[in-house]
Amino acid sequence: MLGDEEEHSEPLEEVLLTEEEALREAVTLRSEEAGVEIARSTQVLYFDEEYGKNDVRLIELSPEMLNILKEEKSFVLRGDGGEEAVLCTTNKTYTVRECTTSNSLLLTPELAADIDTSTHTITPRRVASCNFVYYELKLCRAKLDKMRDILNRSAYSGEENETKDKGEKVTIEDLLSNIQASEQELKEGLDELGAIEMNGYWRVVEHEYKTSAVSRILTLLEEMNWSWEKVPLIQSCHTLADLQPRFVTELCLRLYGNQVSETEDEVLIKLCEDKICRFYGQYILSSSAGKFNLTEFVEVWQDSLPDGMTADMTYLRGLALVNKSSTPHTISYLAVSDLPIEPARRFAYLFSRQEKWSHDDVIPYLEDLIGPGQTVTALLLKHCRSTTDHKTKLKVYNSKTRS
């Protein structure tokens, strides 16, 4: 009977497969189902006990950036709690932006992109983590704005003011820890500020003290009947030693001039016309919070300059606001270094000083906001609206928030 035959049938033999054999069978079945030839090399992903921790962060690198990191072997992430993080190499700064993707990014440490094998191999590869977030790097402007404030806390203003608690003095390491910039960009920023290393600490000369020091140098030129094109550095330092430290005189001469020759006994400095003219223009404008008659200002400015120098309004770029719509024309002090660094606040302040701006007038007050790959035009489109002045027929910019 059929039932009896079933009772006396041979029991099924249990077949045990090794892990590799099981993987090979699975790969064969999937290949047959997909109608494709079995690859010579197959890598099978599996999730290990470490999966799910996601303690790895992914950063997308351009080929150029990858080469930089390979050459330098390291980089630094900088930023306080309230700041957007930046990545710094030895000479460049990049913003670090978080990006999301709908695709799963499986991090598999030992996955091979190209395996050359003559036989069919199956290799298990562990998946360490699954990510939906990665970070994108974008070249940006070094964020040096905070450095001015840090250095001003311990600004040098004469030996009589040098006390033990003279502000919080900082080393280059302190600055690198607090400023979002590469080391090269930081050092270039220190040069631009006229900072000097004193006893291992980086200091700037206090603005009013430096103004007085430069004035003494220019007065000395007039008294000694020296040409501004050949100023003897060593003799100047010696002559003014009773009035100001030698290093201050030398610093000012090198900030406002260029060395043209050097002998065993003397170094000759040629003052830069644009820097000296800018110095006097700023000195006159900043002496009053009000407006000056433009014609009268230019006359006073020219009279204050050494013989042979010419007052040119281009020297006051980013320092002076000229109002040509008034009668007579006026000029007032407006230094770009004193303005907010955040674009929206910068525009709000500019429009509080003047309702309408021509393109040529506003550009000097925006250039320091522009990073790599950015344009002034894009900044203007975002924060301003443009109209045509009915008198001059030229395009002018005004605030979007005003009717």
Side-chain angles (χ1 to χ4, degrees):
M1 293 178 63
L2 182 59
D4 294 334
E5 291 177 359
E6 289 180 353
E7 289 180 4
H8 295 87
S9 62
E10 294 290 333
L12 295 176
E13 183 180 354
E14 183 177 357
V15 179
L16 297 177
L17 300 178
T18 64
E19 182 180 357
E20 182 178 350
E21 289 172 335
L23 289 175
R24 191 179 299 279
E25 286 292 330
V27 170
T28 301
L29 287 174
R30 291 303 301 269
S31 299
E32 290 176 353
E33 290 174 359
V36 297
E37 184 180 351
I38 299 177
R40 284 188 174 182
S41 175
T42 303
Q43 299 175 83
V44 180
L45 305 183
Y46 71 94
F47 300 88
D48 67 4
E49 64 278 2
E50 297 294 322
Y51 174 77
K53 289 187 176 180
N54 284 351
D55 56 354
V56 176
R57 299 294 180 264
L58 304 179
I59 300 179
E60 183 180 59
L61 300 177
S62 65
E64 177 190 7
M65 188 63 184
L66 181 60
N67 289 333
I68 290 174
L69 295 184
K70 283 182 176 179
E71 292 172 3
E72 299 186 8
K73 306 298 182 184
S74 65
F75 58 84
V76 181
L77 286 168
R78 295 192 171 110
D80 291 335
E83 297 174 327
E84 180 181 50
V86 298
L87 182 147
C88 299
T89 62
T90 56
N91 61 355
K92 292 182 180 179
T93 302
Y94 300 80
T95 56
V96 182
R97 300 277 172 82
E98 185 177 277
C99 301
T100 58
T101 175
S102 58
N103 297 321
S104 301
L105 301 174
L106 301 180
L107 182 61
T108 309
E110 299 174 347
L111 189 68
D114 185 18
I115 299 178
D116 184 14
T117 179
S118 58
T119 60
H120 180 212
T121 61
I122 296 179
T123 309
R125 301 295 191 193
R126 72 181 182 91
V127 177
S129 66
C130 178
N131 298 73
F132 295 93
V133 174
Y134 65 95
Y135 295 93
E136 180 183 65
L137 303 182
K138 188 174 181 181
L139 188 64
C140 70
R141 178 182 61 86
K143 302 182 180 183
L144 299 170
D145 316 286
K146 193 165 61 171
M147 185 166 68
R148 187 192 304 272
D149 294 333
I150 292 176
L151 292 175
N152 279 338
R153 295 171 194 164
S154 61
Y156 181 86
S157 58
E159 288 301 314
E160 64 278 10
N161 297 319
E162 285 294 286
T163 59
K164 290 183 178 180
D165 58 346
K166 175 65 175 182
E168 185 180 344
K169 298 175 185 176
V170 292
T171 64
I172 190 71
E173 289 76 19
D174 295 329
L175 291 172
L176 286 171
S177 298
N178 287 278
I179 305 302
Q180 293 182 294
S182 67
E183 186 170 353
Q184 179 177 313
E185 291 169 323
L186 181 71
K187 290 179 178 178
E188 290 172 352
L190 288 170
D191 287 340
E192 188 174 337
L193 286 176
I196 184 172
E197 191 174 13
M198 299 171 58
N199 301 319
Y201 297 101
W202 281 90
R203 313 276 300 276
V204 291
V205 177
E206 192 264 334
H207 177 70
E208 298 300 330
Y209 188 83
K210 183 171 66 174
T211 298
S212 298
V214 175
S215 297
R216 293 189 189 104
I217 293 172
L218 296 174
T219 300
L220 179 64
L221 262 64
E222 187 176 352
E223 292 176 350
M224 303 296 288
N225 199 27
W226 290 339
S227 167
W228 57 269
E229 295 183 300
K230 293 181 180 180
V231 183
L233 185 148
I234 296 175
Q235 189 175 349
S236 298
C237 291
H238 176 73
T239 306
L240 295 173
D242 291 338
L243 299 175
Q244 59 198 39
R246 293 171 183 262
F247 81 88
V248 172
T249 301
E250 179 173 357
L251 174 65
C252 292
L253 282 172
R254 294 193 182 279
L255 278 177
Y256 289 89
N258 296 314
Q259 182 175 319
V260 291
S261 67
E262 181 177 3
T263 64
E264 185 176 345
D265 301 321
E266 190 56 90
V267 176
L268 294 182
I269 300 292
K270 178 181 179 181
L271 297 180
C272 299
E273 181 176 4
D274 57 340
K275 292 181 179 180
I276 294 300
C277 289
R278 186 178 178 86
F279 166 80
Y280 271 115
Q282 182 174 14
Y283 179 77
I284 297 169
L285 287 172
S286 61
S287 64
S288 172
K291 298 179 179 180
F292 295 83
N293 178 296
L294 179 59
T295 301
E296 294 177 356
F297 165 77
V298 173
E299 290 177 356
V300 173
W301 183 23
Q302 180 63 61
D303 290 341
S304 67
L305 298 176
D307 290 340
M309 291 189 180
T310 303
D312 189 318
M313 290 301 297
T314 59
Y315 296 148
L316 299 182
R317 181 181 176 84
L319 275 183
L321 177 59
V322 177
N323 185 354
K324 295 183 179 179
S325 62
S326 65
T327 304
H329 296 171
T330 61
I331 184 172
S332 56
Y333 182 59
L334 181 60
V336 65
S337 59
D338 296 335
L339 301 184
I341 196 61
E342 199 278 316
R345 293 180 58 214
R346 171 76 60 92
F347 277 99
Y349 184 83
L350 291 175
F351 288 125
S352 72
R353 287 292 300 266
Q354 184 168 283
E355 184 177 354
K356 297 180 180 180
W357 289 77
S358 69
H359 184 272
D360 290 343
D361 287 343
V362 76
I363 292 302
Y365 294 100
L366 302 178
E367 289 175 331
D368 65 311
L369 301 180
I370 307 303
Q374 298 177 323
T375 64
V376 173
T377 300
L379 199 62
L380 288 169
L381 288 173
K382 181 177 180 180
H383 295 278
C384 310
R385 61 186 180 90
S386 62
T387 57
T388 301
D389 188 277
H390 67 279
K391 293 182 179 179
T392 63
K393 307 302 180 184
L394 297 176
K395 180 186 288 188
V396 292
Y397 298 92
N398 51 21
S399 174
K400 281 186 174 182
T401 61
R402 295 186 179 182
S403 58

